[in-house]
Amino acid sequence: MALNNEIAQRPTAQQVMQDAPVIPVIVLGAVEEAVPMARALLAGGIRMLEVTLRTPVALACIEAIAKEVPEAVVGAGTVRTAADAQAAALAGARFVVSPGYTHAVGKACRDLGLALLPGVGTGSEIMMAQEDGYTALKFFPAMQAGGTAMLKAWNGPFNDVKFCPTGGVTAQNAGEFLALPNVACVGGSWLTPGDALVAGDWTRITRLASEAAVLRRG
Ligand code: 3PG
């Protein structure tokens, strides 16, 4: 599982999406959870980790993982502004995921040299992200916005785009998404359930990660 140093330090959005079939979407409530959680996911074979900027400790968690678990590639999720992207970079994030797309977030990530997976839910948003050079996109919220049927429709006009569907994706339906030619990976929070994080049930998180790591892509 040795990770090429350049990929670890500065992965492209394509490399972030291709590394494993699932990117865990992580919500951490305490800094103490960050390092053992990252080690538990790594033990299951998942190293691209999206820590969402949804809790007051998120940046501190990113910093702890970046320092103490160098085999992991930690990214920041829920990035909504240029300031969020700058704070994430300062904390040591190696990539950024956003729930939607704005030119300001796109420009900030480019200026920072950070890979960005911009969130899109419509054709116009795909076109806006493409205009700015982004072709590896997060489809969010995937289930609510049309699921696999939407991705099949997009594979006509947007067949040069690869997606990471996220939002409502589970261990049960991930395979249907991963079988599609325009899906590189999926994202989801099911690998790091809140109750397992609070209880410190790292064995459960490793098991969920190892089951996710072997999901087949089409
Ligand atoms: C996200 O932020 O990408 C989603 O909230 C994750 O969605 P899920 O909890 O349905 O996996």
Side-chain angles (χ1 to χ4, degrees), residues 28-175:
L28 292 168
V31 181
E32 296 68 37
E33 294 166 4
V35 166
M37 182 271 330
R39 292 198 175 120
L41 288 171
L42 266 181
I46 304 277
R47 59 194 171 192
M48 297 287 168
L49 316 182
E50 176 190 336
V51 175
T52 58
L53 302 188
R54 286 181 208 180
T55 59
V57 295
L59 288 168
C61 290
I62 290 173
E63 202 171 338
I65 296 169
K67 277 203 187 111
E68 293 179 47
V69 196
E71 317 90 286
V73 182
V74 63
T78 322
V79 166
R80 294 179 299 168
T81 63
D84 285 346
Q86 283 146 7
L90 260 181
R94 305 271 183 242
F95 66 92
V96 160
V97 185
S98 59
Y101 184 70
T102 67
H103 296 301
V105 168
K107 180 179 182 316
C109 290
R110 194 185 323 282
D111 290 349
L112 291 160
L114 271 184
L116 168 66
L117 275 59
V120 296
T122 66
S124 301
E125 290 160 10
I126 295 172
M127 287 162 64
M128 217 164 70
Q130 274 194 300
E131 264 179 26
D132 291 352
Y134 293 102
T135 55
L137 310 178
K138 162 173 161 160
F139 173 32
F140 178 78
M143 282 306 282
Q144 297 83 344
T148 53
M150 185 73 139
L151 286 157
K152 283 178 193 163
W154 278 347
N155 201 35
F158 303 118
N159 60 14
D160 50 349
V161 175
K162 294 282 184 219
F163 294 96
C164 170
T166 306
V169 182
T170 63
Q172 288 67 42
N173 66 14

Side-chain angles (χ1 to χ4, degrees), residues 3-11 70 72-73 94:
L3 190 56
N4 172 305
N5 198 39
E6 199 174 323
I7 296 181
Q9 292 306 315
R10 213 165 270 272
V73 182
R94 305 271 183 242

